[in-house]
Amino acid sequence: MTGLLLTPENRIAIKLASAGWAPSPCPQTGKAMKSKPTNTMTDQPRIPDTQPSPSIEDATSNPGSQTMSTAPAKRSRRFDPDLIAGTVVTLGAGALLLRTSAMPPMTALLPVTMLLVLMVLGALLIIRCLVRLKRDNGVHEPLQVFTNIRRFLGIAAAIVVYVACVANLGFYTSTAVMIPIVAWCFGYRNVRGLLLADVIFTGSIAIIFVLLMGQELPTEFFLR
Amino acid sequence: MYENLINALPAVLSLGNLLAVVIGVIAGICVGALPGLSATMAISVLIPFTFGMDPLVALGMMAGIYNGAMYGGSIPAVLLRIPGTPAAVATSFDGYPMAQQGRGGYALQVAVVSSSLGGIASALVLMLLAPPLAKVTLLFGPSEIFWVAVFGMSAIVFLLGGDVIKGLISAAFGVFISLIGIDTITGYDRYTFGHLELLDGINIVVLLVGLYALPPAVALLEEVRDLDTANTGRLNTTSIWQAIPGMLKYWKTWIRSSVIGVFVGILPGAGGSMAAFLSYNEARRASKNPQDWGKGEPEGVAASETSNNADTAAALIPALTLGIPGTAVAAVMLGGLLIHGLQPGPMLFRDNPDIVFGFMWQFLFAAILLIALGGALATNSFAQVLRLPRPLLGAIILALIFIGVYSINGRMFDVYLMMGFGLIGYFMDKLKFPLPPVVLGLILGGFAEQNLRLALRIGGGDWSILASSVASKIIIAMILIVVFMPLISRGIRRLKARPDAG
């Protein structure tokens, strides 16, 4: 069985797939997907049918997302995401390690071990990144974190505002307002569809949670 | 050994349990059909909603979602060449060309029948292998259990592939998270920062939802994408019962792919996408017409879909018997078990045989139901799921996530914590830090610590007790193999490559 699974052909297949190989490119006639020209927040490139199938790694990390592209060329080494991640891990673990001094030895055993491991691994990540930058003379392709940072910040702000509203105004009020606004802001502009979805969703949740389950969600401000 | 399996059947056949499986399969197909959403995400969101339910009903829904999503992922893979789930990548190789030739309906029918057969094979293997394995693991003491936990974490980091340093950071982070809260032996509170809410530790559902459900919801809003759903309107689907006789010629592929899927499923860290690729390649190698593969060969769809569903229940064998989830979905399922007060591991088979064996039956029924629900009734309808607007879905999922996390303890603190994990999960995903080791670390970290300390107490503080038994030595050897195997194989490949280069 192991022989069957780990034949050279299989290894090659997985490697080819990881490198974005598909057995045969599809004809160029049909359109797999298209960008939405009406929304200008991010215009993503049209993906031609000749583009290879997504790799195992890409698909595993973000299935369905074929639009993650690596940013081209030269970036400042200060902003290499791996370098930043390594620094955050090392410093964060170091700071937490300081808190273990007051713990009883057996209580501190695993936390100290894990935090030391994290510091060492974070340092390795930094060293690897610096070596790579030096080897490539500062020119390499770092991972692209944001497809559109403005859009990401908008989503993050929407989530924070929604959670704050739920805590202060109540769940149903905040949700009934959040769904159409967020969907509208992020590209769905069909008013009828928005209102219908809003009524159906919020209504269903109310029926399920209030009538059927008796589960309390944050109370509405006008009922307090 | 198997009498418990038979005894569990009547409870599973009750209307409530069957209905839960049906709803789970339908929901799973819908979720799997939506690119960007996965079974892991769906189950993470579902778990908090199941608090008030009977454990078997909740597990039935999870089994249904898992099976349904593995097939659902093939719908966009066939119609749009965008795999709905990672495991459906290989399905798109031949499925999409078939859709372009106007045979999309047949491709989906082959996919659903193959998925169902793979799922049935997997459920049967789970039923046959898990009980004896659980009996063996009942003999394990604290040191063996500690090493098993270490093995589970090593396996998922080293066998998952990718960046080992990042994998190890993920696992160490997960273990560290498991240590937050009061130390049950000394009563010392670790890393609670004065928050009483953290004394009991971090609830696994908060972490799961933060890591697995929030980032996909953000991705739905982040990516502007309008899918061309033209192929969904011209599936040319006939009745699946008429189509099945024509598919019987794929029987060899079904058997071969089931074996590969089950084998890969049992291996920790492998998962459905690897099973699908291996199976596709083996089927292509064995085919009489390999030149037609990639141009619309239905057997390619059959190979990929059989094995990615054959991986499902098999992945639960180590999860249920040893408490080691081999894949992210299995880890999430273990989270579901823990929420219902069921500790995965050999004791589960002794203490809750009705539930654990009932769960196995539910896997089998979910796989059988796939044909009826995914094929005969509604392949056309499910394809329409792709037309749902992504921003609206994103907003709705955000609300569902909130409800799920808030419902655990009825407090906003969990929601804030989940947002923090969501942010971490988002960046980890973008920076290619694997997420399954974090979950595994959280599940196994506390478990490992508890057993390590118990073993040391038994041994009077003597560390050599950890390697005193034969079973411990065998598990340590397995850990060393898992850790050093990639290095050794890399060295062998280099040695082989050198004469070629020369």
Side-chain angles (χ1 to χ4, degrees):
Chain A
M1 188 65 235
T2 311
L4 172 74
L5 292 173
L6 300 175
T7 56
E9 290 84 353
N10 281 334
R11 287 201 194 96
I12 291 163
I14 289 173
K15 279 191 175 173
L16 286 171
S18 302
W21 172 88
S24 171
C26 301
Q28 295 188 14
T29 49
K31 284 184 280 184
M33 55 183 290
K34 59 188 178 188
S35 63
K36 191 175 186 179
T38 48
N39 193 321
T40 52
M41 285 187 81
T42 52
D43 278 333
Q44 295 184 2
R46 176 186 293 260
I47 300 196
D49 276 352
T50 44
Q51 178 156 330
S53 296
S55 68
I56 296 178
E57 197 176 290
D58 285 347
T60 307
S61 62
N62 193 4
S65 170
Q66 294 192 359
T67 51
M68 268 275 285
S69 61
T70 46
K74 202 166 181 172
R75 290 279 181 99
S76 162
R77 68 181 57 183
R78 281 179 303 168
F79 297 114
D80 188 292
D82 276 356
L83 200 60
I84 296 171
T87 310
V88 169
V89 169
T90 310
L91 293 179
L96 291 168
L97 196 60
L98 297 175
R99 298 181 70 95
T100 52
S101 54
M103 290 180 189
M106 281 314 278
T107 303
L109 177 67
L110 209 54
V112 169
T113 313
M114 282 303 121
L115 291 169
L116 284 174
V117 166
L118 277 171
M119 284 180 75
V120 171
L121 291 169
L124 282 175
L125 201 61
I126 294 170
I127 293 165
R128 192 179 67 179
C129 201
L130 290 174
V131 167
R132 196 174 52 201
L133 279 165
K134 198 174 177 186
R135 189 189 59 204
D136 300 342
N137 201 19
V139 183
H140 85 119
E141 294 179 0
L143 290 166
Q144 188 186 357
V145 179
F146 300 108
T147 42
N148 182 326
I149 192 159
R150 278 179 57 204
R151 213 170 163 88
F152 171 76
L153 291 175
I155 297 161
I159 295 172
V160 170
V161 170
Y162 171 60
V163 170
C165 285
V166 169
N168 294 299
L169 302 177
F171 175 77
Y172 295 102
T173 312
S174 309
T175 304
V177 174
M178 180 276 285
I179 288 177
I181 290 180
V182 168
W184 172 278
C185 290
F186 291 95
Y188 182 55
R189 301 286 161 84
N190 181 337
V191 178
R192 217 173 121 195
L194 280 172
L195 293 176
L196 193 67
D198 196 17
V199 169
I200 292 172
F201 177 75
T202 316
S204 309
I205 292 293
I207 291 170
I208 293 168
F209 278 80
V210 178
L211 298 179
L212 300 179
M213 291 172 74
Q215 172 94 41
E216 279 190 21
L217 292 169
T219 320
E220 307 313 301
F221 68 98
F222 51 84
L223 292 177
R224 285 172 197 162
Chain B
M1 194 185 296
Y2 294 104
E3 65 272 12
N4 285 327
L5 193 64
I6 306 297
N7 294 340
L9 189 56
V12 180
L13 291 173
S14 71
L15 187 65
N17 284 330
L18 284 178
L19 201 63
V21 180
V22 171
I23 292 169
V25 171
I26 295 172
I29 296 174
C30 293
V31 167
L34 290 164
L37 303 186
S38 61
T40 318
M41 180 263 173
I43 296 170
S44 313
V45 173
L46 172 81
I47 288 172
F49 289 90
T50 64
F51 285 136
M53 293 180 188
D54 181 75
L56 209 50
V57 174
L59 293 173
M61 277 185 139
M62 290 183 213
I65 288 179
Y66 194 5
N67 272 284
M70 292 307 266
Y71 157 65
S74 70
I75 297 174
V78 167
L79 301 177
L80 308 172
R81 204 163 57 103
I82 299 171
T85 55
V89 175
T91 307
S92 65
F93 293 167
D94 283 283
Y96 184 65
M98 284 178 75
Q100 287 191 310
Q101 294 155 15
R103 295 191 296 152
Y106 182 61
L108 288 178
Q109 285 176 332
V110 172
V112 79
V113 172
S114 306
S115 296
S116 180
L117 292 173
I120 291 169
S122 191
L124 291 174
V125 172
L126 173 67
M127 287 172 162
L128 293 174
L129 281 190
L133 198 58
K135 275 208 162 177
V136 173
T137 52
L138 265 176
L139 304 172
F140 285 3
S143 16
E144 288 84 5
I145 295 175
F146 166 74
W147 287 118
V148 164
V150 175
F151 173 74
M153 281 186 277
S154 326
I156 206 156
V157 169
F158 289 92
L159 296 181
L160 199 64
D163 192 329
V164 174
I165 294 181
K166 289 182 176 177
L168 285 169
I169 289 177
S170 295
F173 174 63
V175 174
F176 178 75
I177 297 288
S178 76
L179 303 173
I180 293 173
I182 202 157
D183 177 358
T184 47
I185 297 174
T186 61
Y188 194 92
D189 60 319
R190 295 186 288 201
Y191 301 105
T192 57
F193 302 98
H195 288 282
L196 296 178
E197 296 92 338
L198 288 175
L199 281 179
D200 285 339
I202 289 181
N203 191 304
I204 188 162
V205 178
V206 174
L207 180 92
L208 289 175
V209 174
L211 290 184
Y212 284 104
L214 196 55
V218 171
L220 283 175
L221 296 167
E222 204 175 17
E223 289 173 17
V224 182
R225 195 180 340 178
D226 188 12
L227 303 173
D228 181 358
T229 51
N231 280 336
T232 61
R234 48 186 169 91
L235 292 179
N236 298 336
T237 315
T238 55
S239 161
I240 195 158
W241 308 114
Q242 289 172 359
I244 286 176
M247 297 178 201
L248 296 178
K249 59 187 175 209
Y250 307 135
W251 66 274
K252 278 185 192 166
T253 301
W254 284 334
I255 293 172
R256 187 191 307 110
S257 301
S258 295
V259 172
I260 292 174
V262 165
F263 185 77
V264 172
I266 295 171
L267 285 178
S273 32
M274 185 189 272
F277 274 106
L278 289 172
S279 171
Y280 181 89
N281 195 51
E282 283 303 322
R284 189 181 185 212
R285 231 162 44 110
S287 169
K288 288 174 189 162
N289 54 336
Q291 72 282 356
D292 293 338
W293 286 57
K295 297 173 186 167
E297 172 58 54
E299 207 172 346
V301 176
S304 157
E305 282 302 307
T306 307
S307 61
N308 69 26
N309 270 67
D311 161 89
T312 54
L316 287 170
I317 294 173
L320 291 174
T321 54
L322 300 167
I324 300 174
T327 59
V329 193
V332 175
M333 289 229 176
L334 288 200
L337 287 169
L338 288 168
I339 283 294
H340 287 278
L342 306 163
Q343 178 66 48
M347 302 304 275
L348 185 66
F349 287 75
R350 201 182 65 180
D351 299 341
N352 302 90
D354 290 352
I355 292 174
V356 73
F357 290 107
F359 187 35
M360 293 177 191
W361 281 113
Q362 285 170 326
F363 254 94
L364 184 64
F365 293 150
I368 294 167
L369 276 170
L370 256 186
I371 294 188
L373 295 171
L377 294 178
T379 294
N380 276 313
S381 321
F382 285 126
Q384 306 311 315
V385 168
L386 292 166
R387 294 176 190 267
L388 286 173
R390 294 166 68 85
L392 187 61
L393 267 177
I396 288 174
I397 291 171
L398 283 181
L400 285 174
I401 287 171
F402 176 89
I403 300 170
V405 173
Y406 182 85
S407 310
I408 302 170
N409 296 308
R411 63 189 187 200
M412 287 301 291
F413 184 83
D414 291 335
V415 178
Y416 304 140
L417 209 56
M418 178 274 295
M419 285 167 66
F421 283 125
L423 196 67
I424 294 171
Y426 178 86
F427 284 109
M428 285 181 77
D429 189 33
K430 293 283 183 178
L431 297 177
K432 309 273 182 209
F433 280 86
L435 294 178
V438 183
V439 181
L440 205 57
L442 178 64
I443 293 176
L444 296 180
F447 192 52
E449 186 191 30
Q450 200 183 343
N451 283 287
L452 170 68
R453 287 164 73 171
L454 196 58
L456 289 175
R457 276 195 164 193
I458 293 168
D462 180 9
W463 286 78
S464 65
I465 189 150
L466 291 174
S468 58
S469 71
V470 179
S472 292
K473 283 173 186 148
I474 292 171
I475 304 168
I476 293 169
M478 284 164 68
I479 294 168
L480 293 174
I481 289 170
V482 163
V483 171
F484 291 109
M485 196 172 62
L487 286 174
I488 295 167
S489 59
R490 199 184 302 167
I492 292 170
R493 272 204 304 274
R494 274 189 194 163
L495 280 174
K496 275 185 183 174
R498 238 177 239 168
D500 293 346

